[in-house]
Structures are given as C-alpha cells and as structure tokens.
C-alpha cells in the first residue's frame, strides 16, 4: 500500500499500489485538497499540488504555496473516499427512465434499480409497506425484517428527493446485510434483535391491554381469534396481576422465538446470495461499527430524531452522503461533471419551519460538536471512516 500524508493535517490516506513494497522516494505528499473528484486516489494526488519529500523540509514548509488544511478539509476528503467506495453509478438515460414513474411505482422501480446496481438479487428485495412516522422522516429501513417503510405523513418535494431517500435507506440494507453475513456477528445480530423486537411487541401489547376496552379493541381488528385472546389478557390482568405478568414472560419467549426464525432465515438468504465475510477482515470490522450504530437509539420520546446522536452514527453518515449526493445528481443529471467535494463543502441542511424545533436542532448539533471534541480528531476520523 502507498501512503499520502497531508501536511499540517495529522491524517493520512491509503491507495493500492502495484508494487508490494513502496520506496520512500515514491511517496508523494499532497499539500492541498482538490475540489474535483477523481476516479482513483492516485489520480487525486497526481492532479493535486504535490511536493517531492526530498525537496521539502519541515523548516521551510511555511514558505510553500500550500494552504493550511483544516479539519473540515480532512473530513471532506475522507467523505469523498468513502462516497466513491459506495457510490451508485448512474447515467442520464437511466434517470430519464426512472423519472417516467410516479408515487409508489417510482419507489418500486427505484428499489429495483438500486438492487441491480448493487448486484443484489431480487430475492433479497425488501418488502415495501406504509407505516405512519414523524413528519420529519421521509422513509425508514427496518433492518431486522428487511422492510422499507414509507411514511404517509411525509411528502417529498421532488422525485429527486424521493430517489435520494431510497438510496439512503438501501445503503442501510447493504449495511445490515454486511452484519448478517459476518462470521459470528450475524448470529449475535439475530439474537439481539429477536430479543429487542419481542420486548417491544409485548410492551406495546401491555399498553393496549391497559388502555383499550374490549369494545374498542373489536373496532381495531375484525379478527375473532385476536379479540378472544385480548379479552383473556384483559380478564387475567383484572383477576390476578402476578399470573398476568408470568403470562407475559411466556408470551415474550414465544415472540422472541418467532422473530429468531424470521431473522435467521434472512441471514441464511443473505449468506446464500452474497457469501460470508471474515470477522477479522476490514469489511468485517466495519460491520461491527454498523452493528453498534444500528443498536443506538437516536429517537426521542416525541418521535423526532436527536440530530447530534444521529450524525454520530456510522451507518447514518454513510447513508446521508450517498442519498444527498444522489438527489443532487438527479436534479442536475444534464451536468455530467458532478463534484462530490464541492457539493459536500457547500451543502446546507434544511431548516425546520418550527422555530422551537430549529432551536432544539441547534442545541443537538452543539452536543455533537462537544462529543467530537472529547475524542481526538484522529480517533474521530478512524471511527467514522475506517
């Protein structure tokens, strides 16, 4: 491997070199960040202002024409390298074809398009269902059961935005597939999420039993068997609270076994289609970070997202870059010279129409910055991008 060091930056980037051993004199130093994206990191260095180390000494570094590289510059380059790794290639003809569709049909065709680009079989296509969520959320990926959840409370501003959301959520699908097919990690993922789903489902059931009358529940579902079981739960709770809780423990175990079978079957299907990932490989180590991020709860009690916690999730940062960049490319599909670095550098988040919510977001971003400051900058970059 060859190494490029950016002076005054305290970071480095690696690219594949043809020779196994890189001679010291062949290592070049990039002294400013490029605005234009290149196909390979080697091309990035060759077309960036570089100085041969033999002619550059530390004491006269300040005399060079290189600008000082900021932490923001460093992160932009890391973001670019990561983006190029997971980028969804697209042509104008492909986008023109997609934009012929509307609504649910556009979603379905968009999912098929991304799966084809990722070389993922349609046998692993997520089921697409409508689930009401907070109005801030465009859509979501339910990684435990391979579901794409559309939010009827959210209206996309454009087809480009909708497709950007799809690319974002399907990046989460790829991340979850990497977890499932990583040796050892996949099995742990199945167990942890079956437990979590079971606890959530029983907690929801308890609340329904507590708050709903039998008459109200009959209005919620026409299923006579479900009505009968609900009535039994209601009566048992009123008659014997201890036995009622014991019954919920039994139900939790049954539901956990049910979800274990579902998620394990998904794991087997993913491995069959995509193969195993070695636990000690770079991809396997990255999957461990995905696991941690997926198990992080960044939702607040009111259903909104804690912006700070959200932006410190490895899974979300990957998906955000891919989704926003894809949306931008669709909006400007006639311009073939899309520059990710320029786009990322100039990107501004959308602001909330609610001044109270906007103030909350600002505070959450400050919390994020404080959290990053508590880490060393190198550790932050390694965590987020390695």
């Amino acid at each position: 491997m060859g190494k490029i060091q950016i002076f005054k930056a305290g970071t480095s980037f690696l690219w594949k070199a043809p020779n196994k051993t890189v001679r010291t004199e062949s290592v070049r130093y990039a002294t400013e960040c490029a605005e234009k994206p290149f196909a390979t990191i080697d091309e990035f260095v060759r077309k960036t202002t570089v100085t041969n180390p033999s002619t550059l000494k530390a004491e006269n570094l300040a005399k060079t024409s290189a600008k000082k590289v900021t932490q923001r510059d460093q992160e932009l380059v890391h973001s670019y390298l990561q983006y190029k790794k997971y980028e969804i290639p697209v042509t104008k003809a492909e986008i023109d074809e997609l934009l012929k569709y509307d609504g649910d049909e556009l979603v379905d065709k968009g999912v098929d398009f991304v799966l084809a680009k990722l070389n993922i079989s349609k046998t692993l296509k997520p089921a697409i269902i409508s689930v009401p969520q907070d109005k801030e959320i465009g859509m979501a990926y339910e990684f435990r059961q391979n579901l794409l959840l559309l939010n009827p409370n959210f209206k996309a501003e454009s087809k480009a935005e909708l497709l950007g959301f799809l690319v974002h959520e399907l990046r989460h699908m790829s991340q979850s597939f990497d977890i499932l097919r990583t040796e050892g990690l996949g099995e742990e993922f199945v167990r942890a999420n079956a437990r979590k789903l079971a606890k959530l489902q029983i907690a929801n059931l308890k609340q329904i039993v507590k708050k709903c009358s039998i008459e109200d529940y009959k209005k919620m579902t026409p299923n006579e068997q479900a009505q009968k079981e609900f009535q039994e739960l209601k009566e048992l709770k009123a008659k014997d609270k201890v036995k009622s809780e014991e019954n919920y423990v039994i139900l939790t175990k049954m539901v956990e076994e049910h979800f274990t079978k579902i998620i394990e079957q998904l794991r087997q299907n993913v491995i069959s289609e995509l193969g195993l990932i070695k636990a000690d490989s770079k991809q396997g180590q990255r999957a461990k970070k995905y696991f941690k991020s997926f198990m992080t709860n960044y939702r607040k009690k009111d259903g909104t997202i804690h912006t700070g916690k959200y932006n410190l999730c490895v899974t979300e940062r990957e998906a955000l870059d891919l989704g926003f960049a894809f949306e931008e490319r669709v909006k400007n599909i006639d311009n073939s010279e899309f520059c990710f670095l320029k786009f990322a550098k100039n990107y501004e988040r959308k602001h909330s129409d609610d001044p109270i919510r906007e103030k909350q977001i600002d505070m959450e971003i400050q919390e994020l910055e404080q959290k990053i400051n508590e880490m060393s900058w190198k550790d932050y970059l390694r965590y987020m991008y390695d």
Side-chain angles (χ1 to χ4, degrees):
M1 299 289 284
K3 179 182 287 187
I4 304 162
Q5 292 182 332
I6 294 187
F7 275 98
K8 292 189 175 183
T11 189
S12 62
F13 310 100
L14 301 176
W15 83 98
K16 289 182 179 179
N19 51 326
K20 293 182 179 179
T21 305
V22 179
R23 295 175 298 172
T24 305
E25 61 268 25
S26 72
V27 180
R28 292 164 296 178
Y29 293 79
T31 54
E32 77 177 30
C33 287
E35 290 271 320
K36 178 181 169 63
F38 303 111
T40 65
I41 187 60
D42 193 42
E43 187 182 358
F44 165 79
V45 179
R46 285 188 282 106
K47 294 190 178 180
T48 303
T49 303
V50 295
T51 308
N52 190 296
S54 63
T55 63
L56 182 62
K57 297 181 181 179
E59 59 267 24
N60 63 18
L61 177 62
K63 298 177 183 178
T64 70
S65 61
K67 69 178 181 179
K68 182 177 180 180
V69 179
T70 65
Q71 288 184 341
R72 176 62 177 153
D73 291 328
Q74 291 178 61
E75 185 158 16
L76 281 171
V77 176
H78 279 79
S79 296
Y80 164 70
L81 295 177
Q82 184 168 272
Y83 166 77
K84 292 302 292 183
K85 183 176 180 180
Y86 303 120
E87 178 186 18
I88 304 292
V90 64
T91 65
K92 182 180 184 305
E94 289 169 333
I95 290 301
D96 287 342
E97 179 63 27
L98 277 176
L99 295 181
K100 292 178 182 177
Y101 302 99
D102 298 289
D104 291 346
E105 194 173 15
L106 175 59
V107 172
D108 190 61
K109 296 292 184 182
V111 171
D112 288 345
F113 169 80
V114 176
L115 289 179
K117 289 291 183 178
L118 297 175
N119 293 317
I120 293 176
S121 167
K122 283 189 178 181
T123 59
L124 294 176
K125 181 178 180 177
I128 305 170
I129 60 176
S130 179
V131 177
Q133 301 165 68
D134 185 83
K135 63 181 181 179
E136 291 184 355
I137 300 167
M139 61 181 70
Y141 178 71
E142 210 299 291
F143 56 87
R144 301 177 185 96
Q145 300 176 78
N146 196 27
L147 304 173
L148 182 63
L149 311 179
L150 306 185
N151 183 9
N153 297 326
F154 181 91
K155 301 300 179 185
E157 293 179 359
S158 64
K159 292 181 181 181
E161 184 180 48
L162 181 64
L163 290 171
F165 281 135
L166 277 179
V167 169
H168 177 120
E169 298 306 332
L170 293 175
R171 179 62 208 153
H172 290 324
M173 179 197 69
S174 293
Q175 292 161 346
S176 69
F177 286 179
D178 276 2
I179 297 171
L180 286 167
R181 63 197 187 99
T182 296
E183 294 174 334
L185 195 64
E187 294 90 332
E188 184 182 348
F189 184 84
V190 171
R191 292 191 297 270
N193 284 291
R195 284 195 301 269
K196 191 164 187 175
L197 280 173
K199 287 179 180 179
L200 285 171
Q201 188 145 320
I202 297 303
N204 288 337
L205 178 60
K206 283 184 176 182
Q207 287 300 308
I208 294 172
V209 170
K210 179 181 178 180
K211 295 180 178 180
C212 287
S213 66
I214 295 172
E215 291 72 25
D216 287 337
Y217 188 76
K218 286 181 178 179
K219 294 175 184 177
M220 292 169 61
T221 175
N223 187 302
E224 292 183 2
Q225 181 62 29
Q227 293 173 3
K228 180 183 176 183
E229 291 173 358
F230 177 82
Q231 185 167 348
E232 290 172 353
L233 289 170
K234 195 88 174 170
E235 290 173 352
L236 183 59
K237 184 177 185 298
K239 186 188 302 182
D240 192 328
K241 291 184 178 180
V242 174
K243 284 188 177 180
S244 177
E245 286 302 314
E246 289 174 350
N247 186 57
Y248 280 126
V249 171
I250 295 170
L251 284 176
T252 302
K253 186 67 176 175
M254 291 171 60
V255 174
E256 183 178 336
E257 290 174 356
H258 168 73
F259 281 121
T260 297
K261 290 178 182 178
I262 291 175
I263 306 173
E264 176 59 25
Q265 185 59 61
L266 174 62
R267 188 178 81 88
Q268 293 298 332
N269 292 345
V270 169
I271 292 171
S272 176
E273 290 287 344
L274 302 175
L276 278 168
I277 294 174
K278 294 290 184 182
D280 58 353
S281 67
K282 190 170 183 179
Q283 194 174 4
Q285 293 301 309
R286 185 73 177 169
K288 289 181 182 178
K289 293 183 181 181
Y290 294 158
F291 194 159
K292 180 181 178 181
S293 287
F294 276 135
M295 301 305 282
T296 298
N297 181 18
Y298 50 71
R299 297 277 182 96
K300 296 182 289 186
K301 290 183 179 180
D302 63 0
T304 58
I305 290 172
H306 188 292
T307 309
K309 292 179 180 178
Y310 179 86
N311 278 282
L312 202 56
C313 281
V314 168
T315 48
E316 295 299 345
R317 291 289 286 278
E318 269 189 16
L320 283 169
D321 280 348
L322 286 173
F324 286 143
F326 196 85
E327 177 186 346
E328 187 70 13
R329 290 169 71 192
V330 174
K331 286 178 179 176
N332 300 281
I333 195 61
D334 291 325
N335 180 9
S336 59
E337 292 296 320
F338 172 73
C339 173
F340 175 81
L341 281 172
K342 187 175 182 180
F343 161 73
K345 190 173 184 178
N346 296 326
Y347 178 80
E348 291 187 12
R349 71 172 178 84
K350 292 180 180 178
H351 293 271
S352 174
D353 295 332
D354 182 351
I356 296 176
R357 176 62 182 137
E358 184 63 24
K359 188 175 181 179
Q360 286 178 339
I361 293 172
D362 286 338
M363 291 176 64
E364 290 162 6
I365 290 174
Q366 288 177 22
E367 289 178 31
L368 167 66
E369 291 171 350
Q370 183 178 348
K371 189 76 174 178
I372 292 173
N373 288 337
E374 290 172 0
M375 308 167 68
S376 77
W377 184 246
K378 282 186 178 181
D379 285 345
Y380 165 72
L381 291 178
R382 290 191 191 101
Y383 171 72
M384 196 60 66
Y385 299 102
D386 282 358

